Amino acid sequence: MRVTDKGLYDRGYASVAKAREGFAKATDELSSGLRVQHAWDDPASSAIAITRGLAEQRQTAIDTTLQRTTDELQATDNALDSVNLLLTRSRELAVQLSNDTYSAADRLGTAEEISALRQSLVALSNTEMNGRYIFGGNRDRTPPFSDAGVYSGDSAVRQVEIAPGTWSNASLPGDAVFTGAGGGTDLFATLSALETALRTNDVTSIRNSVTGLDAATSQISVSRSRVGSAAVVMESAAATARMARDQATADIGREIAADPFKSATALAYAERALDAALSATSKSFGPTLLDKL
Amino acid sequence: MASLNSLLQNAASSLSAHRASSATASHNLQNANTPGYARQRANLEAALPSEMLGGAYLGRGVILGTVTQARDRFIEAQMPSAMASAARSGAEASALTSVTAFDAMNEGGMTAGLGAFYSSVRQLAQNPADQSLRAATVAAAQQLTLSFNSASTQLNSARAGIDEKVRASAPEINQLLNQMASLNGQVRTARGTGAEPNDLLDARQAVQDKLTQLTGAVPVPNSDGDVNLQLPGGGGALVTGNKAAQLATFPDSTNSGHLGVHLVRADGTLSENLADRFGGTLGGLVSARDGALRSAQTQLDTLAFDMANTMNTVHSAGYALDGSTGRNLFVVGAAAEGAAGRLTLNADIANDPRLLAAASAPGDVPGGNGNMQALLGTETMALSGGLDTSSTLANITSSFGAASQRAVAAATADSSLQSHLTDMRESVSGVSIDEELINLTQAQRGYEAVLKVITTANEMLNTLMQLR
């Protein structure tokens, strides 16, 4: 084929431009770590990266909310544990002061302690975490229990998402836990009754209060087991969410991430190709008859 | 003496021939780098008729026969199609790859916006009365709308940018069409002298090439030596002989105001809108604007419209912290067209996150999350196209990506073919400096040889004159 000078220059221009383009692309891929940066690089992988990216964010959010819920359940259990201790102490005092060896004055003094325990119960029933009164049901922005133990929350059980589209109970309504809504024991009334019995030196009533305190303790125990079960569900769901999130992350990487070794090799080849193109081009502008005449 | 005089005359004629030969080589050397220049060849011929002397014919030296261009008709016939295709696919690929709105890993893109919005709703569902979570959800909702607005703006800008290019190219194309028509006339006039006007032919070829690249014009030579230009597929005549049509752009109301193109014929009449009949750069731009870009914009608008309305239906059924209900979450307008650009967060909610309707019943306020559960349900709800939001977005991305990928692949293939044909054309028509230097030297030596003939004839004349 006849080779002209302009043809040589044009060919040199084209080969250097192509080598530079390849070099730039290889540099871009290695520095960004992405094989697919634009939709046209690989349309199918881009589409998969979108759906998996949204799945990754979904599972991350589920994990975050489950962590917060677990913290609330822990706070709930801590409060119920304190209530349990409080009830245990109350029972001890009830048993102790139902003994005929104690005087009315003794019982009066113990009534003060029961009163203090009852106030602690009110405080525990109004446990707050992150601005939320955890025993208030859906009415969780104001203390659900008055000093008299009257409940102003509701019976709603909060739900949290444990998997996409799947919701699970994550709270205990205060009325069921503390006032025995649905056939249980009213803890406030039980302690109030004990306090009154102590103040009035009513030994029979003091003795009878033990039954109520036992029922209250059992009620709290059941509540704690529910909290424990819910916490197990949350933990398991959180672990599943993290696994799903990690899988989504891996899927995204598989679709669009660049293999660093392949990228580095491609860059080395591209650099060599550019060097070769530049050398070949400079040599092709070599001797003409102009140099000899 | 007559023979010696005719010898001198023949030598003079030969000098002219060799001078023309060196001038042609010089012209070639000077145009070695001129784009579109086809090397010329001075064809020398022995002068006829020969002179009779005694029983033999004597030659009369050399004359310049013709000066011809070196062009391969086969290659030249393939060039317009290759150039038009390369220009078209290159323009289309360039237009499509300027749009990065659908890149999956775009920070601030729609994927990030959608994911952040639903993540914030998930977190709000865990504690609906928390003000900081409400504020975060409002911010995420605003970010979602901005991501759609940004994508829509990018598509609109790309299409508007194409309109500007179309508008700006019309005067250039019109000027070239006029040049082409004028050159047809000039070539015809120059040919009337019986010689080939090679430089005019090169000039006309260059204008033709430019028009082919810009418009996809198909050259149709006629028997008069004119090169007429037609739109691809017979859409209309751009140049007929020494008459040229003109392009006129206009806002096409049937295409959302994007530019259409009329042909203003030589008699002043207007053609229909021929924007989609062009090839070359103009055709590629229009194809991108009215093809993949329009399709992506329509799909994006539909997605925004459906997504917003689906969420609005759910949100308006819920109850805010103040117990109010019936409030839409997003403002998107009454029609899908332009929805992605119009999408905004309800200003009431933007100003007061307490108006996010998290509860599904008035009695569930403030801690009830029933409506947030329902809002999360929209994530997997089928929209008008039968797919949920994320699948629809993925679908739009893959469609646009596939169209862009096809354009890029076509541009690469077409460019490769054009390069190959250009190399072949250059091989036939291009100037080799080495060759022309040899030709120049050859002409120079020939000239020197003829000078020697003149000198010798002159000496012979002098000798004759000195005879007594």
Side-chain angles (χ1 to χ4, degrees), chain B residues 175-195:
Chain B
Q175 188 184 12
L176 288 168
L177 289 171
N178 289 335
Q179 274 184 35
M180 187 74 188
S182 170
L183 283 164
N184 270 341
Q186 290 177 52
V187 165
R188 199 194 284 200
T189 302
R191 274 188 173 140
T193 64

Side-chain angles (χ1 to χ4, degrees), chain A residues 2 4-5 38 138 141 161, chain B residues 103 122 127 367 426-427 433:
Chain A
R2 186 170 164 274
T4 66
D5 298 83
H38 305 293
N138 280 338
R141 292 290 122 170
E161 195 181 26
Chain B
D103 292 354
R122 283 201 153 82
N127 194 351
E426 182 63 25
S427 172
I433 291 178

Side-chain angles (χ1 to χ4, degrees), chain B residues 366-390:
Chain B
N369 69 357
N371 210 42
M372 287 293 105
Q373 291 190 33
L375 197 60
L376 284 172
T378 63
E379 202 176 15
T380 53
M381 218 176 264
L383 304 177
S384 64
L387 300 174
D388 62 27
T389 306
S390 67

Side-chain angles (χ1 to χ4, degrees), chain B residues 22 50 114 129 150 186 211 230 308 412 418 464:
Chain B
S22 71
S50 305
L114 206 52
S150 172
Q186 290 177 52
L211 281 168
Q230 297 275 339
T412 303
Q418 185 193 7
L464 198 61

Side-chain angles (χ1 to χ4, degrees), chain A residues 5 18 31 38 41 104 128 137 141 148 158 216 236 242 259 285:
Chain A
D5 298 83
K18 190 172 173 192
S31 59
H38 305 293
D41 290 336
E128 182 198 348
R141 292 290 122 170
R158 286 191 298 278
S236 171
R242 282 192 290 273
D259 181 324
F285 299 155

Side-chain angles (χ1 to χ4, degrees), chain B residues 419-434:
Chain B
S419 292
H420 176 64
L421 286 174
T422 301
D423 283 349
M424 290 177 69
R425 183 198 237 183
E426 182 63 25
S427 172
V428 171
S429 307
V431 173
S432 166
I433 291 178
D434 293 343

Side-chain angles (χ1 to χ4, degrees), chain B residues 26 40 45 56 58 83 89 102 152 182 204 252 259 294 357 359 363 412 456 464:
Chain B
S26 165
Q40 296 176 15
E45 296 170 0
L58 291 180
M83 288 166 65
S89 55
F102 299 105
S152 178
S182 170
R204 187 174 68 177
D252 184 358
L259 292 186
R294 177 159 72 181
T412 303
T456 304
L464 198 61

Side-chain angles (χ1 to χ4, degrees), chain A residues 1-11 14 34 36-51 53-54 57-58 60-62 64-66 68-69 72 129-132 137-141 154 156 158-161 164-165 167 252 256 287-290 293, chain B residues 32-35 39 96-100 102-105 111-112 114-116 119 122-123 125-131 133 363-369 373 376 379 390-391 393-394 397-398 400-402 404-405 408 423-424 426-435 437-438 441:
Chain A
M1 186 163 112
R2 186 170 164 274
V3 178
T4 66
D5 298 83
K6 183 172 177 299
L8 278 176
Y9 296 135
D10 289 345
R11 217 168 285 152
L34 293 175
V36 178
Q37 294 190 52
H38 305 293
W40 54 85
D41 290 336
D42 190 333
S45 291
S46 293
I48 293 173
I50 286 174
T51 54
L54 288 169
Q57 292 183 75
R58 186 180 307 135
T60 302
I62 288 174
T64 301
T65 57
L66 287 172
R68 289 190 189 137
T69 304
E72 277 188 8
M129 185 173 180
N130 294 330
R132 159 187 274 167
N138 280 338
R139 296 192 196 132
D140 59 357
R141 292 290 122 170
D154 64 14
R158 286 191 298 278
Q159 292 200 312
V160 73
E161 195 181 26
W167 299 78
I252 294 168
I256 67 171
T288 71
L289 206 48
L290 274 171
L293 288 175
Chain B
N33 291 327
T34 303
R39 67 192 167 99
L96 294 180
T97 55
S98 71
V99 173
T100 57
F102 299 105
D103 292 354
M105 306 312 286
T111 306
L114 206 52
S119 292
R122 283 201 153 82
Q123 293 183 52
Q126 193 271 334
N127 194 351
D130 187 295
Q131 295 304 325
L133 291 178
D364 290 349
V365 174
N369 69 357
Q373 291 190 33
L376 284 172
E379 202 176 15
S390 67
S391 298
L393 181 59
T397 297
S398 70
F400 181 77
S404 304
Q405 193 181 58
V408 168
D423 283 349
M424 290 177 69
E426 182 63 25
S427 172
V428 171
S429 307
V431 173
S432 166
I433 291 178
D434 293 343
E435 279 180 14
L437 286 174
I438 292 171
T441 304

